[in-house]
């Protein structure tokens, strides 16, 4: 007796069962977006923790976003630090800057992707069930950096 037909049948049943379930529960993301995505619009603040070519970077950051009913995001992200420096998109060393961002939020997974104008990096993250937004920024090139933020609504 061959186990192959039984194994293939079992795989098909498991696959079909998983397809009918809420993908957020399957992934463990705990994704719970408000029904009206526009209600995510607002101002969020966070500690700015990371590293750039000048070394470790600690400061604060503000994310101001407008989200439409399809989850399309427009806004800005500003940062500042009293003790560390970063760079503007022109490469000038500074202790603060504001960047224009655009992006999307995925309504089934709560994943967020943002892009800055004039920069090479991109933000990836997630809207969390407690209402915070967790983001990572990774940029390569002449002014590389890696930053993590947990934004809380103001």
């Amino acid at each position: 007796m061959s186990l192959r037909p039984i194994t293939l049948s079992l795989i098909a049943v498991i696959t079909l069962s998983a397809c009918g379930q809420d993908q957020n529960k399957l992934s463990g993301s705990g994704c719970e977006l408000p029904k009206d995505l526009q209600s995510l619009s607002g101002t969020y603040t966070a500690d700015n923790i990371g590293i750039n070519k000048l070394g470790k970077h600690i400061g604060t950051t503000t994310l101001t976003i407008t989200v439409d009913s399809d989850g399309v995001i427009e806004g800005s992200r500003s940062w500042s630090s009293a003790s560390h420096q970063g760079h503007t998109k022109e490469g000038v060393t500074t202790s603060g800057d504001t960047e224009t961002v655009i992006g999307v939020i995925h309504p089934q997974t709560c994943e967020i992707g943002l892009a800055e104008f004039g920069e090479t990096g991109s933000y990836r993250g997630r809207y969390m069930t407690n209402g915070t937004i967790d983001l990572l920024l990774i940029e390569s090139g002449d002014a590389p950096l890696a930053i993590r933020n947990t934004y809380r609504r103001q």
Side-chain angles (χ1 to χ4, degrees), residues 6 8 12 19 23 28 35 38 42 44 55 59 80 100 104 106 113-114 128 131 142 145 151-152:
I6 293 170
L8 291 175
C19 290
Q23 293 300 308
K35 295 218 183 291
Q38 294 171 324
Y44 299 77
S80 65
T100 301
V104 293
H106 193 291
L114 295 175
M128 307 303 287
D142 293 336
L145 63 93
Y151 288 96
R152 288 174 175 69

Side-chain angles (χ1 to χ4, degrees), residues 5-48:
I6 293 170
T7 303
L8 291 175
S9 295
L10 185 56
I11 290 171
V13 167
I14 291 170
T15 303
L16 290 174
S17 295
C19 290
Q21 293 185 20
D22 182 350
Q23 293 300 308
N24 301 322
K25 291 180 183 171
L26 288 176
S27 68
S29 71
C31 178
E32 293 181 26
L33 284 172
K35 295 218 183 291
D36 178 11
L37 294 178
Q38 294 171 324
S39 68
L40 297 175
S41 298
T43 299
Y44 299 77
T45 60
D47 291 331
N48 204 35

